[in-house]
């Protein structure tokens, strides 16, 4: 099949690109490199010994994205491109709505013009908001608590309407839990531009000596050790979920939301200990106040992914930490190193 990846050079995009190329699909990556590096694409090409098309472009460029889609004529689009920092979305909400919502409208208009009727969308468990029950299943009410989460929810609604309007259209909404880790080669991985917001990249930068210590945001939650619990998922498992979703989109119509998680949580201190064991490095930390907006614990009910996609996670926390460390150790300054 012909697969078009928006944001294909980013963290999840590059791992999915590698997976999709190993399935012998023809690929076009559309990326503006605003939070990613062309070097990631060069490394994927080297690792897979495959070439693919690359178009440098912004999803807000309506004519540019339309032309790229009309030229490539994809069977399926996988849409990663978007902004993803919660704090930034609270400071700059309009930028988030413009990029994530308007960008998706341009993409869908371009797909209509190119005759492409199938999309796999990077959604997030953040659409659920404060848990009314756990684990979250896909029917859990959606109540995002910040503009970033609202953009994911709004795009889900738009895709639902796009599918209702045309019985030939297909949208698979993958609701990611907490993706971490890196490809086993250590050649591609997560490369935050700034101070990392998320736990795992911060822990790896502490272990490699780039930062002095981790701040643990609260140890008085109602969890076993008092620290926050999340459903971490290895990025290679996540990439495989995309490959399965592409296969599903090929043979089904309509809009389906699917959780992509392991179904079990780990606490911040469990992650710290697992990382120390995997890296052999100390990860000093101090406990500070809770981060505003954080939830004590959440994790997925992953049954639907197994039933519809035949997919489930295969890699555990030790493997997530080992691969994140391998990437960090080989690339202490990320792709710039
Ligand atoms: C965050 C976002 C979420 C987004 C996801 C992307 C918030 C409130 N939520 O999720 O919307 O979809 O990233 O991956 O930002 N922690 C520390 N110290 C740190 C960093 C994190 O103790 O320096 C703790 C947090 O309090 C939390 C856990 O580690 O308990 C995981 O945090 P993080 O990696 O930021 O993910 P989420 O908050 O789950």
């Amino acid at each position: 099949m012909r697969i078009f990846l928006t944001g294909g050079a980013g963290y999840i995009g590059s791992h999915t690109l590698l997976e999709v190329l190993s399935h012998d699909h023809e690929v076009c990556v559309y990326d503006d490199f605003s939070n990613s590096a062309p070097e990631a694409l060069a490394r994927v090409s080297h690792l897979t010994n495959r070439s693919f098309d690359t178009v440098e472009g912004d999803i807000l460029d309506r004519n540019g994205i339309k032309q790229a889609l009309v030229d490539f004529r994809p069977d399926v689009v996988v849409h990663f491109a978007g902004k993803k920092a919660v704090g930034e979305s609270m400071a700059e909400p309009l930028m988030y709505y413009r990029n994530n919502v308007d960008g998706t409208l341009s993409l869908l208009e371009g797909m209509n013009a190119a005759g492409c009727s199938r999309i796999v969308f990077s959604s997030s468990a953040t659409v659920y908001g404060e848990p009314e029950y756990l684990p979250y299943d896909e029917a859990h009410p959606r109540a995002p608590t910040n503009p970033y989460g609202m953009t994911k929810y709004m795009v889900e609604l738009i895709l639902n309407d796009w599918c209702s309007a045309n019985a030939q259209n297909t949208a698979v909404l993958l609701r990611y839990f907490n993706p971490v880790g890196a490809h086993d080669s250590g050649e591609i991985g997560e490369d935050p531009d700034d101070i990392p917001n998320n736990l795992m990249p911060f822990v790896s930068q502490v272990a490699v000596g780039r930062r002095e210590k981790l701040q643990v945001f609260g140890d008085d939650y109602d969890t076993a050790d008092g620290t926050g619990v999340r459903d971490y998922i290895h990025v290679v498992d996540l990439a495989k979920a995309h490959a399965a979703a592409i296969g599903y989109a090929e043979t089904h119509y309509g809009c389906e939301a699917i959780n992509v998680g392991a179904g079990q949580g780990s606490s911040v201190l469990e992650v710290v200990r697992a990382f120390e064991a995997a890296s052999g490095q100390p990860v000093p930390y101090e406990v500070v106040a809770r981060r505003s907006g954080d939830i004590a614990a959440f994790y997925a009910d992953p049954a639907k992914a197994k039933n519809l996609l035949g997919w489930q996670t295969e890699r555990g926390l030790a493997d997530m930490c080992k691969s994140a460390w391998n990437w960090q150790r080989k690339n202490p300054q990320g792709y710039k190193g």
Side-chain angles (χ1 to χ4, degrees):
M1 280 198 292
R2 300 177 67 76
I3 315 291
F4 189 92
L5 303 179
T6 73
Y11 172 45
I12 301 168
S14 58
H15 287 82
T16 302
L17 170 65
L18 195 154
E19 182 66 27
V20 165
L21 288 170
S22 74
H23 282 75
D24 275 346
H25 297 304
E26 298 300 315
V27 179
C28 177
V29 169
Y30 187 90
D31 203 303
D32 67 355
F33 302 114
S34 57
N35 189 26
S36 62
E39 174 66 14
L41 298 180
R43 292 188 184 186
V44 171
S45 185
H46 183 72
L47 284 167
T48 55
N49 206 15
R50 293 261 336 254
S51 60
F52 48 85
D53 295 350
T54 304
V55 176
E56 181 167 357
D58 185 335
I59 44 166
L60 292 179
D61 173 2
R62 287 175 71 180
N63 288 329
I65 183 112
K66 180 171 153 192
Q67 194 58 52
L69 287 159
V70 167
D71 289 346
F72 186 70
R73 298 238 156 239
D75 299 301
V76 180
V77 168
V78 187
H79 181 31
F80 299 102
K83 300 215 153 271
K84 61 168 190 177
V86 173
E88 186 184 48
S89 81
M90 295 195 285
E92 300 272 359
L94 302 187
M95 180 172 82
Y96 270 67
Y97 289 113
R98 177 67 75 197
N99 265 278
N100 293 4
V101 181
D102 199 15
T104 305
L105 292 175
S106 305
L107 173 67
L108 289 170
E109 286 165 358
M111 287 172 63
N112 285 343
C116 178
S117 60
R118 302 183 182 101
I119 186 167
V120 175
F121 173 59
S122 292
S123 190
S124 167
T126 203
V127 298
Y128 297 123
E130 194 69 44
E132 290 189 9
Y133 56 84
L134 285 173
Y136 290 130
D137 57 24
E138 289 81 357
H140 185 285
R142 266 76 74 205
T145 55
N146 55 66
Y148 159 72
M150 280 302 299
T151 66
K152 292 291 177 189
Y153 180 46
M154 289 167 74
V155 170
E156 287 198 355
L157 296 176
I158 290 166
L159 290 172
N160 204 50
D161 287 346
W162 182 72
C163 288
S164 299
N166 186 335
Q168 303 299 309
N169 287 349
T170 306
V172 183
L173 319 175
L174 295 182
R175 292 182 180 152
Y176 307 161
F177 280 70
N178 288 56
V180 297
H183 188 254
D184 289 334
S185 63
E187 291 293 314
I188 56 172
E190 187 168 14
D191 182 22
D193 254 354
D194 215 338
I195 300 175
N197 297 308
N198 298 115
L199 179 64
M200 188 67 92
F202 204 105
V203 166
S204 355
Q205 292 192 5
V206 172
V208 84
R210 220 169 123 179
R211 308 203 179 269
E212 190 194 334
K213 61 183 163 193
L214 171 73
Q215 295 195 317
V216 175
F217 298 143
D219 67 352
D220 55 354
Y221 284 108
D222 184 16
T223 60
D225 65 19
T227 64
V229 167
R230 296 290 183 274
D231 186 335
Y232 296 96
I233 167 174
H234 197 301
V235 68
V236 171
D237 277 336
L238 181 55
K240 289 183 176 168
H242 287 82
I246 289 167
Y248 179 86
E250 196 186 355
T251 50
H252 295 80
Y253 297 113
C255 186
E256 280 300 344
I258 304 179
N259 284 341
V260 188
Q264 63 171 53
S266 305
S267 73
V268 175
L269 294 182
E270 282 171 334
V271 170
V272 168
R273 276 185 222 109
F275 205 94
E276 287 183 327
S279 65
Q281 302 296 313
V283 177
Y285 67 85
E286 62 176 343
V287 176
V288 299
R290 292 179 178 192
R291 180 171 65 181
S292 131
D294 267 357
I295 290 167
F298 66 79
Y299 40 92
D301 175 346
K304 190 171 175 185
K306 187 161 186 206
N307 292 338
L308 292 193
L309 306 181
W311 171 93
Q312 61 188 342
T313 56
E314 289 169 357
R315 296 163 183 241
L317 186 59
D319 199 356
M320 297 177 208
C321 294
K322 189 173 146 212
S323 62
W325 172 243
N326 188 34
W327 151 255
Q328 185 70 62
R329 192 177 48 84
K330 286 177 90 168
N331 306 272
Q333 302 300 323
Y335 290 112
K336 290 174 284 296

